[in-house]
Amino acid sequence: MSDLLYSEVEEDLRASVRDLLTDRAGFTSVLARTESAEPYDLKLWRTLAADLGLAGLAVPEEMGGQGASYREVAVVLEELGRSVAPVPFLGSAVLATAALLAAGDTELLPRLAGGELIGALAVPLTTAPDAGFPDGVSANTEGALSGSVRTVADASVADVLIVPAVGPDGPGLYAVEKAGATVTEVVSLDLTRRLADVSFDNASSRLLTGPSGAEPALRQALLVGAGLLASEQVGVAQWCLDETVAYLKQRYQFGRPVGSFQALKHRLADLYLEIVSARATARYAADTLATGDSDVPVAVAVAQSTCSAVALHTAEESVQLHGGIGMTWEHPAHLYLKRAKSSELALGTPGRHRAALAGLVNLPPA
Amino acid sequence: MSTLTADDLRARVGELLAAHPPASTDRLEFLRARFDAGLAWVHYPAGLGGLDAPRELQNVVEAELAKAGAPDNNPRRIGIGLGMAAPTILRFGTEEQKQRYLRPLWTGEEVWCQLFSEPGAGSDLAALGTRAVRDGDEWVVNGQKVWTSVAHIARFAILVTRTNPDVPKHQGMTYFICDMTDPGVEVRPLRQLTGEAEFNEVFLSGVRIPDANRLGAVGEGWKVAQTTLMNERVAIGGNAIPREGGLIGMVSQTWRDRPELRTPELHDRLLKLWVQAEAARLAGTRLRQQLAVGAPGPEGSAMKLAFANLQQALTGLEIELSGEDGLRYDDWTLRRPEKVDMLGRGPGYRYLRAKGNSIEGGTSEVLRNIISERVLGLPSEPRVDKDVAWKDLPR
Ligand SMILES: Cc1cc2nc3c(=O)[nH]c(=O)nc-3n(C[C@H](O)[C@H](O)[C@H](O)COP(=O)(O)OP(=O)(O)OC[C@H]3O[C@@H](n4cnc5c(N)ncnc54)[C@H](O)[C@@H]3O)c2cc1C
């Protein structure tokens, strides 16, 4: 059976990431940044990606990475979920990196893994692993790309885009430099994970993998993304629960801490139970991804349909249980609510993952 | 109550329209004439915008006027005045107060806000600490209110204060009408998670309120506030709407218009919510029929609770149904709206704003307590604050 606990190494990693984020991604600065001209904290990103080497955690050493595994990446994501730090980790270190790994690229991978370049996978963030190959972008015989993709995560700060496109011979994964694409940032519901629309007009590109490899590579990248996003969702949920518990202990109404009302205690206990389950499913997904276990698709479907819902429920409860203060801009709860609701849609909704599961475990629809 | 029938009211509307053709009459002039004709809120007393008619007949008036293209009084913009201030003034106000305030309240010439909640007193409203101290014919008020919707456009406020800190909290409160233009009233925007600053913080420093602006007896503020709160819940949950009125209609239309977004799971959830919306609509109709024959009861709390649940489930579903667009937002710019515009903005706004539906006007948790205690008769939790003077309460 897979190891669903955290290793000592993972706990150390968590501690150092948390320290850094506590220091550099406190709520007030994260909030202030959402409305500034630089919504991403690229200095923090460089520290995480290059100095701590986290962008290439799961990339083998011979390809410029740290040679760890997706289990460690998952731990980093938990911490990034806890702080909703505005860094392009999911887009670059997870989605684009996984696509390059799966495509067997050796040119860009070391540069992404070393934090030298930021990448983004040019699919709508809502794309589920089983969505099929997108056809919004086409490639001509010279490999020039034309077409557009909406709502791409982290594209506005990406130096290179990994683009699924249909060429004369069929599907391919292509790399396009930032200069070759028109990237238009959109107004995102999630203030700390930005989205952009991307379009290509005869953009020159480099083919990463052609018809035989493109579809599996894209699917693998999306599976990795969905499976690891579950850990970020666990981090979001855990923060929301911790903060809410702390608030309800200190908030007095009716002459006593509101946390002493049984109606609230039971709800918090239920959230705790949900998070216990969510964490187990997220750990399992990370572990199967790390070991290349054949159960990956089931593990990802279970983790996504669980963790999306749990993160959202906990974030919604957090706003509710904070009362009026939870409805304000000054209180952090809303950033987590926005992240949780957006993540619910990201890389397949819970319903979508349950539908995928129906096929995987032979429970056909009525 | 008078014995007016639907036909009598149609005749009266006809007279109003003949004397003041909407097409050629100034909006305000029309609204004032409507008020004076007793067609503003027909169940109110004659002379105060009504005709002592059964409440249900209001629908007849609204339908006739809508048919004729008459202007309305923008009820959403003046919701607090209509839903909370007016019934309280009607019940506890002096004759002069009723004459002075109800007409411009109804026409929307004067907007009202509600200065109840404080940083330390939300669900436990009776714990509030804003002090009012008598000084001859006036009261001097000091304190801070919070979450005050539309205070930035309000001319008047209903205000609850503490006048005696030495008695248990429910006994030492007094209720006033506060002129928001008075010196010492300061309104500061408070931004919400939607990006808007729809509510405010209100600082009251040495505000002098004439005793003539008191509603109800000194020390009886809690009783007066109860009337306001009961009516608030009804106002939030009990509007007459057609089938598929409001959000459910909007989401249903998206479903019809965009087959590419459909999945079996979403279909099932949408149908459940459709049924829930229809059930809530019918329950609201029942509630209004009950109101027509009596006073607002605790059922208002149930409606408000049901409304909040439904709005939140629907707006959450709408975002999922929006696919990629669900990840987007329309506009984060700080604005100071005059009313909540649920249907005029995007799904993201609706989703976020609906989170307030279970907090504003009494949280869903507190409403559940009210239902379990007042409707079901369950014993309340042990109270530590019952016989303690307000000033000695733990906080
Ligand atoms: C959008 C919006 C508009 C508003 N507009 C106005 C306005 O115009 N005027 C005005 O005066 N106020 C207004 N309010 C304030 C609103 O009435 C209060 O926020 C509300 O009563 C809750 O109080 P609180 O925020 O202090 O939460 P708290 O009372 O601190 O509650 C925190 C949490 O504890 C729960 N809780 C508290 N007591 C109990 C209990 N006994 N049992 C179980 N759970 C409990 C609550 O339900 C909540 O989830 C508005 C609020 C919002 C969000």
Side-chain angles (χ1 to χ4, degrees):
Chain A
M1 183 62 199
S2 351
D3 178 5
L4 304 183
L5 304 180
Y6 299 104
S7 68
E8 223 170 284
V9 175
E10 285 166 0
E11 290 296 6
D12 289 348
L13 174 65
R14 177 198 305 289
S16 61
V17 175
R18 188 177 295 185
D19 280 352
L20 176 72
L21 294 174
T22 308
D23 225 35
R24 305 259 301 266
F27 168 69
T28 2
S29 68
V30 170
L31 183 69
R33 192 173 282 282
T34 62
E35 292 191 290
S36 74
E38 285 176 44
Y40 281 92
D41 188 345
L42 293 180
K43 257 176 83 182
L44 174 62
W45 164 252
R46 269 188 294 278
T47 309
L48 280 165
D51 305 350
L52 296 185
L54 303 184
L57 259 187
V59 175
E61 283 173 52
E62 62 273 22
M63 289 183 217
Q66 306 294 314
S69 79
Y70 286 130
R71 292 176 54 97
E72 289 81 8
V73 180
V75 170
V76 174
L77 279 162
E78 279 183 32
E79 294 308 308
L80 289 171
R82 278 189 79 96
S83 68
V84 291
V87 290
F89 194 87
L90 184 76
S92 186
V94 178
L95 289 168
T97 299
L100 290 172
L101 263 174
D105 169 82
T106 50
E107 224 179 289
L108 278 172
L109 195 53
R111 303 178 68 192
L112 252 65
E116 183 194 330
L117 293 181
I118 296 174
L121 181 64
V123 294
L125 182 60
T126 45
T127 313
D130 64 354
F133 204 81
D135 57 6
V137 182
S138 55
N140 67 16
T141 38
E142 276 86 57
L145 305 192
S146 295
S148 59
V149 193
R150 297 178 77 227
T151 47
V152 178
D154 298 335
S156 47
V157 285
D159 305 296
V160 56
L161 295 150
I162 313 302
V163 191
V166 183
D169 306 323
L173 272 193
Y174 298 81
V176 179
E177 308 255 321
K178 179 196 213 149
T182 307
V183 178
T184 314
E185 179 146 328
V186 306
V187 182
S188 312
L189 176 64
D190 183 350
L191 290 159
T192 52
R193 176 145 59 223
R194 299 293 173 127
L195 304 164
D197 291 343
V198 181
S199 65
F200 308 96
D201 181 12
N202 252 327
S204 55
S205 74
R206 185 165 68 79
L207 182 68
L208 298 167
T209 176
S212 61
E215 277 200 80
L218 177 62
R219 182 174 153 74
Q220 169 68 9
L222 293 170
L223 274 174
V224 169
L228 296 185
L229 180 63
S231 287
E232 190 195 277
Q233 288 165 324
V234 169
V236 167
Q238 189 69 55
W239 182 92
C240 289
L241 178 62
D242 292 350
E243 279 299 303
T244 308
V245 168
Y247 181 71
L248 295 187
K249 281 186 196 165
Q250 56 134 82
R251 173 70 171 168
Y252 270 66
Q253 295 282 276
F254 306 99
R256 56 193 262 199
V258 276
S260 71
F261 287 107
Q262 206 167 61
L264 299 191
K265 284 199 276 199
H266 286 186
R267 269 162 72 178
L268 293 168
D270 283 343
L271 291 179
Y272 172 79
L273 286 186
E274 286 185 26
I275 294 175
V276 165
S277 307
R279 187 183 305 283
T281 66
R283 278 274 92 191
Y284 182 58
D287 191 72
T288 53
L289 286 166
T291 56
D293 193 296
S294 62
D295 207 30
V296 162
V298 171
V300 169
V302 168
Q304 257 311 298
S305 51
T306 307
C307 298
S308 283
V310 170
L312 183 61
H313 184 211
T314 316
E316 289 183 336
E317 287 284 77
S318 176
V319 168
Q320 175 64 25
L321 297 177
H322 276 83
I325 198 92
M327 277 298 283
T328 62
W329 191 262
E330 285 84 8
H331 192 277
H334 69 100
L335 292 183
Y336 292 81
L337 178 69
K338 289 162 188 172
R339 170 64 64 86
K341 188 66 192 174
S342 304
S343 294
E344 185 200 26
L345 272 63
L347 302 163
T349 59
R352 180 86 199 222
H353 282 283
R354 277 192 295 272
L357 193 63
L360 294 167
V361 300
N362 188 23
L363 290 169
Chain B
M1 199 171 282
S2 76
T3 52
L4 287 170
T5 65
D7 281 340
D8 296 335
L9 285 173
R10 281 192 198 97
R12 280 171 184 264
V13 172
E15 284 165 29
L16 172 73
L17 290 167
H20 306 272
S24 54
T25 310
D26 169 69
R27 177 174 180 275
L28 206 50
E29 199 186 309
F30 183 88
L31 292 173
R32 287 176 181 159
R34 179 177 162 186
F35 186 93
D36 295 339
L39 295 168
W41 32 34
V42 295
H43 59 291
Y44 267 48
L48 294 174
L51 295 165
D52 288 305
R55 197 179 182 122
E56 285 294 292
L57 291 182
Q58 186 68 35
N59 291 338
V60 175
V61 174
E62 300 296 342
E64 290 293 301
L65 288 170
K67 225 169 32 187
D72 74 13
N73 60 340
N74 204 344
R76 296 195 60 80
R77 180 169 179 270
I78 58 171
I80 293 178
L82 288 176
M84 284 78 111
T88 313
I89 293 170
L90 187 65
R91 171 117 184 253
F92 291 97
T94 60
E95 207 42 46
E96 295 77 62
Q97 288 170 338
K98 292 178 197 170
Q99 292 295 343
R100 162 65 188 85
Y101 295 114
L102 289 176
R103 190 177 187 249
L105 180 160
W106 188 86
T107 59
E109 289 162 82
E110 289 169 353
V111 173
W112 287 67
C113 67
Q114 183 180 12
L115 292 173
F116 280 25
S117 307
E118 296 181 6
S123 298
D124 187 11
L125 178 61
L128 59 82
T130 290
R131 282 282 274 147
V133 177
R134 192 158 191 154
D135 180 19
D137 277 349
E138 293 181 330
W139 294 82
V140 182
V141 180
N142 283 288
Q144 185 199 336
K145 297 289 177 175
V146 74
W147 330 123
T148 320
S149 308
V150 298
H152 53 291
I153 56 165
R155 172 63 212 277
F156 289 107
I158 40 179
L159 165 71
V160 202
T161 63
R162 173 126 342 253
T163 41
N164 185 355
D166 299 321
V167 292
K169 61 182 185 179
H170 290 97
Q171 295 168 25
M173 300 159 83
T174 303
Y175 198 119
F176 294 98
I177 292 170
C178 173
D179 186 336
M180 295 295 285
T181 62
D182 274 349
V185 179
E186 193 201 337
V187 177
R188 292 188 203 156
L190 189 54
R191 197 172 182 191
Q192 273 168 245
L193 46 59
T194 55
E196 292 184 340
E198 164 199 328
F199 53 28
N200 304 269
E201 296 178 292
V202 178
F203 296 83
L204 304 163
S205 337
V207 180
R208 302 191 80 88
I209 299 181
D211 188 56
N213 284 10
R214 177 162 46 79
L215 275 181
V218 174
E220 297 274 289
W222 183 246
K223 201 174 102 193
V224 186
Q226 281 304 303
T227 297
T228 310
L229 296 177
M230 285 284 215
N231 279 287
E232 172 168 26
R233 281 151 207 164
V234 177
I236 293 177
N239 281 336
I241 42 165
R243 173 176 289 173
E244 278 201 16
L247 277 181
I248 185 67
M250 187 171 247
V251 180
S252 300
Q253 206 47 50
T254 306
W255 184 270
R256 292 182 190 111
D257 293 345
R258 303 196 49 194
E260 78 280 7
L261 300 172
R262 297 176 191 167
T263 69
E265 190 228 9
L266 290 174
H267 190 230
D268 192 46
R269 278 165 62 199
L270 174 61
L271 280 168
K272 282 190 186 133
L273 290 175
W274 200 97
V275 171
Q276 204 178 314
E278 179 68 1
R281 188 180 78 82
L282 294 171
T285 307
R286 271 201 92 224
L287 177 66
R288 274 177 295 104
Q289 290 173 354
Q290 260 167 355
L291 278 176
V293 294
E299 290 89 347
S301 300
M303 285 312 300
K304 202 234 156 202
L305 191 54
F307 170 80
N309 286 344
L310 181 63
Q311 292 280 100
Q312 291 175 353
L314 259 177
T315 54
L317 176 85
E318 189 187 20
I319 290 203
E320 275 184 72
L321 181 59
S322 307
E324 280 163 50
D325 290 332
L327 295 175
R328 299 182 176 225
Y329 198 69
D330 57 356
D331 188 358
W332 288 119
T333 330
L334 174 64
R335 309 188 224 181
R336 308 207 71 196
E338 296 198 344
K339 60 181 178 193
V340 179
D341 190 9
M342 280 301 258
L343 300 182
R345 291 191 56 183
Y349 173 84
R350 284 193 277 280
Y351 171 74
L352 293 173
R353 182 58 185 81
K355 293 283 164 272
N357 293 152
S358 52
I359 300 172
E360 59 197 332
T363 67
S364 291
E365 291 74 26
V366 165
L367 295 184
R368 284 191 193 95
N369 287 344
I370 291 175
I371 292 169
S372 53
E373 290 170 20
R374 294 203 207 140
V375 184
L376 305 177
L378 291 162
S380 55
E381 305 213 23
R383 295 292 295 262
V384 295
D385 56 350
K386 250 207 163 118
D387 306 311
V388 185
W390 174 84
K391 64 174 170 38
D392 299 325
L393 284 177
R395 43 175 79 84

